[in-house]
Structure formats: C-alpha cells, structure tokens
Amino acid sequence: MRILLFGGFLGSGKTTTILQIAKYITENKFETVALIENEIGEAGIDDKLLADSGLQVRPLFGGCVCCQITSDLITAVREINETIKPDWLIIEMTGLAIPGNIAKLINEYCNFYTGFKTITIVDMGRWPELKEILGPLVTGQVEKTDFVIINKADIEGNDKAEIIEDIKQIVSGVPIKVASAANKLPPDVIEEVIHFE
Amino acid sequence: MNKLTHKLKHGHTNPITDATVFSKSYHISFEKPVDKSNIEKLVIQLIQDIGRPLAHNGIIVGHIKVLAKVSDEDFQFLSLTRLDRVDVKSSSQWQTELSGEFNSINLDINVLVFGYKREVIEEIVNGSLVVLRCFDASTPVS
C-alpha cells in the first residue's frame, strides 16, 4: 500500500486535487484507492463530496483544532491496511495540520507502506496574506514536504513569480508545480505526484 | 470544550487555538416551494453574506463551507476562501435531476476562521439565513 498524505491551509484545494488524483489512479492505473478524510467540525462536508465520487471514505472528525493528529489516524491507517488492503491510501489532513509532523508519526507507526509521500497544496491567491497573518503555520506546512502544488494559479492579482520564488526559498530540493486544480490538473502533474522510485 | 479547558486538558498552548470552529446543521423550510436554480442562487448569496463580515482584505483567513442538501444524494457543496469567488460543486444527482421544487433544504455550515469569537460567527450565520427563511419565489434572486 502506497500512502499519499495531503496537507495545506484551509480552502487551498486539497479535496479538489485529491478527487482528481484518486480518479486518475482508478481509471488509468486500474488500482484501488481508499481515503481518510480528517475534518474539523461536527458536520462533515468534504467526506460527502468525496463519497459521491464513488470513493471509499473513512471520515475522522476532530473537534480539537490544535492537536493535529490523534491515535485515531494511526488506527485508521492500520485498519485499512489490514482489512481493505487498497493499492493506495490517500489521507487528507485538516487545513491546520503540518504534514511534516504527521509524516514522522506515519513513519514511526505505519512503516508497512511500500511508498509514502507528503504533498502540500498552497493557495497562490491568498499566500501573501496568509503568510503575513499565519506565517509559522503556512510556512511550516510547506517546509517539510516531498511535493508542492501551488494551486489556484488562475486567480489574478498577485505577482506569481514572486510567490513561486518565495515558496522555493522555504522548501528546496522538492518538485514544485503550479496548477489550477479547479480547471483540472494536468496528467503530468498527477503522474509526478503518484510516481515512486 | 472552551480554550481554557482545552489548554488544561492538553497541557499546552498553541497559536492555532486562535482559530474558531463553527459547525452546525440547519433545516430550512421555505414559505413556498423553490427550484434548484433558485436554491443555488440563495446558497451562493448565503455563503457570501457569511463571508463578507469575516473577510480580511477580501480573503477569508480560514474557510467557509456549506453543504446544501435536498436529499442525502442530492446536494451542492460551496466553498468560500475569497469574496470574489465562490466554488460550487454539485453531486451527480443534482446535475442529472434538475427539475422539481422543494419545500425545505438541509444545510451543513462549517466556518473556520481566525480572529472571531464563536458567538459573533453564529450571529452572522443566523442573520444570513434570514434570506432563505423569508425567500419569496416570486422575487428574482440577484
């Protein structure tokens, strides 16, 4: 089972991106995908959207905003590995989680995977404001990740080159792709996300 | 659990606790039956009305999500992160069965923002819901 762990600030486009990647894997690779959806709030919304696309979704609701992961997630990953045994497990973290921190726990407690990658989605349109207001959180989401998708590139208004450069300063040595998931992710970006050596 | 209890229970403080989560489900009855086209317009107006007072320079520092359901499989999902753009996604059933009118809808509203108290958010949400509760199908939605 290969694991893709998606992080990125609230509303950055994680669910939209995941939907396309999961669909691509099932339709083009003919492999199975299970999904863990970690949402904040009692009324789950994203899980319904994902389930409507025919994906098997395991929702994890956390009323607690600050604790980014509980033993529930580790239990869910183990359970899916033992029962459903999908080819891929996609985990969508809450928009307040730092993927690098969660990766440590996955590596420690779920190292039965055959491949593991963290992907951070950055909302290009809000990056300058979010960095100004919530600098440590949004830079923390980017700095320890294996892959960055700078999303919502179709939104006008900001200096795109400056934002891309800013992200490159935070995270170096990992692929950075600019895209607009709402308009459809290019297949080469998806291929790169799901590529393992 | 309030912030203080939370800190005591978890034994730490974190700037992320400054985020406020408002998550609530509503059942809205219309005075007269409303079709899907008008429901969509109303819910777009609703999410914008909620977002306007919570925005910072036109952007939401967090997110606002609304799930508007006429049935479990027949729904629209709306997301707002900036005032000039509402993302709308429809369930497969919503797209294939556009006809019909509805006496009520169920709404799941999830607001997660920084810098506002829960009571303030609730007041904004309740105020914004008035447009749906008092909707008159004979008046076009802008």
Side-chain angles (χ1 to χ4, degrees):
Chain A
M1 183 174 83
R2 280 153 290 178
I3 302 175
L4 298 174
L5 188 146
F6 283 82
F9 190 66
L10 303 155
S12 57
K14 294 185 291 298
T15 310
T16 308
T17 303
I18 286 170
L19 269 172
Q20 291 178 47
I21 290 172
K23 209 170 175 189
Y24 185 87
I25 292 172
T26 53
E27 289 178 1
N28 295 284
K29 306 285 177 190
F30 308 107
E31 294 178 326
T32 54
V33 179
L35 245 152
I36 294 177
E37 178 63 33
N38 192 8
E39 272 189 86
I40 298 167
E42 287 157 20
I45 289 183
D46 291 343
D47 63 306
K48 293 185 184 70
L49 189 67
L50 290 163
D52 184 65
S53 306
L55 295 165
Q56 189 152 20
V57 185
R58 164 83 180 257
L60 286 179
F61 297 113
C64 166
V65 181
C66 81
C67 297
Q68 298 166 2
I69 190 168
T70 64
S71 58
D72 289 354
L73 177 60
I74 300 298
T75 307
V77 174
R78 285 170 174 270
E79 203 178 290
I80 287 168
N81 182 56
E82 285 160 16
T83 56
I84 303 170
K85 300 185 195 313
D87 298 311
W88 295 82
L89 172 62
I90 297 180
I91 305 171
E92 178 174 354
M93 296 313 304
T94 76
L96 300 177
I98 294 179
N101 294 350
I102 293 154
K104 275 188 207 163
L105 292 166
I106 300 278
N107 280 318
E108 193 172 343
Y109 298 106
C110 306
N111 56 7
F112 42 76
Y113 57 73
T114 54
F116 175 47
K117 195 184 274 186
T118 59
I119 302 106
T120 296
I121 313 291
V122 173
D123 181 343
M124 182 183 248
R126 289 186 297 165
W127 177 256
E129 288 90 352
L130 294 179
K131 198 182 165 206
E132 186 193 329
I133 300 166
L134 300 169
L137 172 63
V138 293
T139 56
Q141 290 179 326
V142 171
E143 65 191 356
K144 285 177 188 165
T145 193
D146 302 316
F147 199 102
V148 178
I149 297 176
I150 303 178
N151 193 25
K152 305 194 182 182
D154 55 317
I155 294 175
E156 299 294 328
N158 289 314
D159 186 336
K160 290 178 187 174
E162 201 175 299
I163 292 169
I164 295 164
E165 195 48 46
D166 199 19
I167 304 283
K168 281 183 180 166
Q169 296 287 324
I170 298 167
V171 60
S172 56
V174 305
I176 298 174
K177 297 288 170 187
V178 180
S180 173
N183 295 336
K184 212 172 178 200
L185 282 173
D188 62 302
V189 173
I190 299 179
E191 280 288 351
E192 212 172 326
V193 169
I194 64 174
H195 176 73
F196 284 94
E197 293 296 337
Chain B
M1 181 161 50
N2 65 34
K3 279 183 196 168
L4 183 62
T5 324
H6 185 104
K7 284 173 189 168
L8 289 170
K9 186 177 176 185
H10 294 259
H12 64 99
T13 58
N14 187 325
I16 291 170
T17 53
D18 292 337
T20 302
V21 186
F22 176 84
S23 176
K24 205 165 175 177
S25 300
Y26 296 85
H27 178 79
I28 306 289
S29 297
F30 299 121
E31 288 182 1
K32 287 176 189 169
V34 182
D35 61 18
K36 280 187 177 175
S37 161
N38 273 324
I39 289 177
E40 179 170 346
K41 288 174 189 165
L42 283 168
V43 185
I44 288 174
Q45 191 179 332
L46 168 73
I47 202 168
Q48 287 174 323
D49 288 348
I50 296 170
R52 218 167 283 118
L54 298 173
H56 170 81
N57 290 341
I59 69 148
I60 306 295
V61 183
H63 72 209
I64 302 170
K65 291 181 180 180
V66 175
L67 189 72
K69 296 179 284 190
V70 294
S71 77
D72 279 350
E73 286 80 36
D74 205 354
F75 59 82
Q76 279 212 312
F77 164 85
L78 296 93
S79 168
L80 187 79
T81 56
R82 49 191 306 129
L83 294 180
D84 58 3
R85 179 160 148 166
V86 181
D87 290 318
V88 183
K89 292 187 183 74
S90 306
S91 67
S92 25
Q93 194 170 321
W94 186 284
Q95 295 162 53
T96 51
E97 293 173 26
L98 284 171
S99 60
E101 292 188 323
F102 303 88
N103 294 313
S104 65
I105 53 166
N106 289 310
L107 297 173
D108 292 332
I109 300 179
N110 194 332
V111 180
L112 207 164
V113 286
F114 285 77
Y116 293 90
K117 288 183 176 171
R118 195 186 185 282
E119 299 75 41
V120 174
I121 299 170
E122 184 155 28
E123 201 177 317
I124 291 168
V125 170
N126 286 337
S128 306
L129 283 168
V130 172
V131 69
L132 273 84
R133 290 192 168 115
C134 303
F135 177 65
D136 177 355
S138 59
T139 312
V141 185
S142 56

